[in-house]
């Protein structure tokens, strides 16, 4: 039987609608407008695209969007001063510093200077620790989006065997933590894992976050398993015309879809969920800052 396609685009639109409803409520009942500040240092073209679409969607759900674009040579002290100013701004509930930063800036220092309560990317060491100990935290957006899709599809993932391929701080590790907090039995595979095919074949849930185009073939997938493809890889696509490119994930879609029970496509799977979860985190941070009830279903 063909796999169910988990439609991230449609799911993300639902999440954004939920966020928008809550923003309307916060404005009408409490006179509060959630605010998100995005800081971009330098002119990396991909980062500029991300920042633009984050700003656009923030406004679309009714929140306040503030963008700070800094010169590529901005001294660290200047960036830290801006973050301090945003930490102390009562109209700003979420702060995101677009990564990667130029090489002269210490990424850990910068991220850890954000007020953890406003750290809507969930990368601050305090949030990492809170997540690791199963406490309320700000959760990294991409893994949060994956978790929402898994909960929606399965109801409960308790007791399921989950394999996360990739151990990065922004996707692999927090993903594994979230799956563990939901009582899955979790294996983290990485570049040194022996017999990766064998490890993946035991999984009821596979989350691929590697950054290698189509590296997981269908014959690694246990029949009926759920496959969440986090990878975004741009490949040349001469078949579409000269100079054209296409996006593919970390799993080989056609062969995996033939065996899996459910699968996320690329594009249109995990990608759209990431920005939706950033908006969800901002509204959650705003509610927490004001001692108000958080919207249901938008946090881990
Ligand atoms: P990363 O480069 O930081 O980490 C990749 C991980 O893959 C590493 O832990 C490494 O050990 C592992 N790895 C590398 N080669 C491997 C191999 N042959 N076998 C098994 N494991 C191997 O990458 P990242 O930031 O975690 O991102 C992973 C992918 O997810 C990228 O394609 C990235 O573009 C994508 N991504 C997508 C979103 C989204 O919104 N959909 C967000 C973040 C990242």
């Amino acid at each position: 039987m063909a796999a169910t396609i988990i439609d991230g685009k449609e799911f993300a639109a639902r999440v954004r609608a939920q966020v928008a409803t809550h923003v309307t409520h916060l404005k009408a009942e409490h006179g509060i407008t959630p605010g998100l500040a995005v800081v971009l240092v330098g002119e990396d073209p991909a980062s500029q695209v991300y920042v633009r679409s984050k700003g656009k969607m923030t406004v679309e759900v009714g929140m306040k969007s503030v963008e700070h674009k800094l010169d590529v040579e901005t001294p660290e002290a200047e960036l830290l001063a801006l973050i301090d100013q945003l930490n102390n701004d009562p109209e700003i509930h979420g702060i995101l510093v677009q990564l990667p930063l130029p090489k002269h800036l210490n990424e850990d220092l910068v991220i850890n200077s954000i007020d953890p309560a406003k750290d809507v990317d969930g990368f601050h060491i305090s949030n990492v620790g809170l997540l690791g100990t199963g406490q309320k935290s700000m959760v990294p957006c991409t893994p949060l989006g994956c978790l929402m899709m898994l909960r929606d599809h399965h109801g409960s993932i308790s007791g399921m065997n989950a394999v996360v391929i990739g151990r990065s701080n922004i996707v692999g590790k927090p993903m594994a933590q979230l799956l563990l907090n939901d009582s899955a039995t979790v294996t983290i595979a990485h570049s040194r894992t022996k017999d990766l095919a064998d490890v993946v074949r035991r999984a009821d849930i596979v989350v691929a976050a590697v950054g290698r185009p189509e590296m997981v073939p269908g014959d690694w997938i246990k029949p009926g398993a759920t496959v969440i493809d986090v990878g975004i890889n741009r490949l040349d696509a001469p078949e579409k015309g000269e100079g054209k490119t296409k996006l593919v994930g970390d799993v080989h879609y056609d062969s995996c879809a033939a065996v899996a029970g459910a699968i996320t496509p690329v594009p249109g799977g995990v990608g759209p969920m990431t920005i939706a979860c950033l908006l969800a985190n901002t509204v959650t941070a705003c509610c927490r800052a004001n001692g108000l009830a958080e919207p249901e279903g938008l946090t881990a």
Side-chain angles (χ1 to χ4, degrees):
M1 214 174 79
T4 301
I5 296 167
I6 300 177
D7 185 344
K9 225 169 138 182
E10 185 269 334
F11 199 131
R14 258 194 284 155
V15 171
R16 289 198 305 274
Q18 248 178 295
V19 170
T21 302
H22 212 77
V23 170
T24 304
H25 166 81
L26 284 170
K27 284 178 174 171
E29 300 297 321
H30 304 283
I32 301 168
T33 303
L36 173 64
V38 177
V39 180
L40 173 64
V41 187
E43 291 179 358
D44 176 65
S47 294
Q48 284 182 325
V49 172
Y50 289 137
V51 167
R52 214 174 305 130
S53 64
K54 281 168 187 170
K56 186 169 160 267
M57 291 198 183
T58 304
V59 171
E60 273 172 17
V61 295
M63 301 201 289
K64 174 177 164 164
S65 165
V66 178
E67 282 176 27
H68 290 272
K69 293 185 177 161
L70 306 184
D71 186 84
V72 68
E73 310 240 323
T74 300
E76 196 163 81
E78 199 178 303
L79 176 58
L80 294 176
L82 171 62
I83 292 172
D84 187 50
Q85 180 199 316
L86 295 170
N87 283 341
N88 290 300
D89 185 339
E91 290 191 2
I92 295 298
H93 305 94
I95 303 169
L96 180 148
V97 177
Q98 185 67 42
L99 301 178
L101 288 171
K103 289 211 168 26
H104 68 284
L105 299 170
N106 179 337
E107 221 159 79
D108 287 338
L109 181 73
V110 169
I111 296 304
N112 289 321
S113 73
I114 298 172
D115 177 350
K118 296 189 178 188
D119 167 39
V120 281
D121 249 343
F123 296 158
H124 191 290
I125 198 76
S126 297
N127 282 316
V128 176
L130 288 168
L131 179 64
T133 48
Q135 299 180 67
K136 198 184 256 195
S137 64
M138 295 309 301
V139 178
C141 305
T142 301
L144 178 58
C146 297
L147 181 75
M148 282 184 186
M149 292 196 284
L150 285 167
R151 281 180 176 169
D152 185 65
H153 185 72
H154 288 284
S156 166
I157 59 168
S158 176
M160 293 177 82
N161 283 329
V163 171
V164 179
I165 319 175
R167 57 175 163 181
S168 73
N169 289 338
I170 64 166
V171 189
K173 281 187 207 152
M175 185 73 247
Q177 203 64 63
L178 287 169
L179 293 164
L180 189 59
N181 291 351
D182 265 25
S183 300
T185 302
V186 184
T187 303
I188 307 179
H190 47 79
S191 51
R192 304 286 177 90
T193 297
K194 290 189 179 130
D195 262 329
L196 182 59
D198 217 43
V199 172
V200 174
R201 272 187 202 115
R202 280 181 259 140
D204 305 309
I205 294 169
V206 181
V207 181
V210 186
R212 290 182 173 239
E214 302 178 322
M215 74 162 269
V216 178
D219 67 358
W220 289 13
I221 302 298
K222 177 173 160 178
T226 299
V227 178
I228 306 288
D229 191 352
V230 181
I232 301 177
N233 309 286
R234 192 168 284 285
L235 297 184
D236 290 336
E239 71 278 10
K240 289 167 73 179
E242 206 188 308
K244 296 280 183 197
T245 60
K246 63 177 178 182
L247 289 182
V248 300
D250 289 343
V251 311
H252 185 270
Y253 184 82
D254 288 345
S255 62
C256 288
V259 192
I263 189 165
T264 60
V266 177
V270 176
M273 287 299 287
T274 297
I275 296 188
C277 287
L278 172 68
L279 305 176
N281 277 349
T282 305
V283 89
T284 298
C286 176
C287 292
R288 287 180 187 169
N290 289 284
L292 299 169
E294 294 168 23
E296 270 178 42
L298 295 182
T299 46

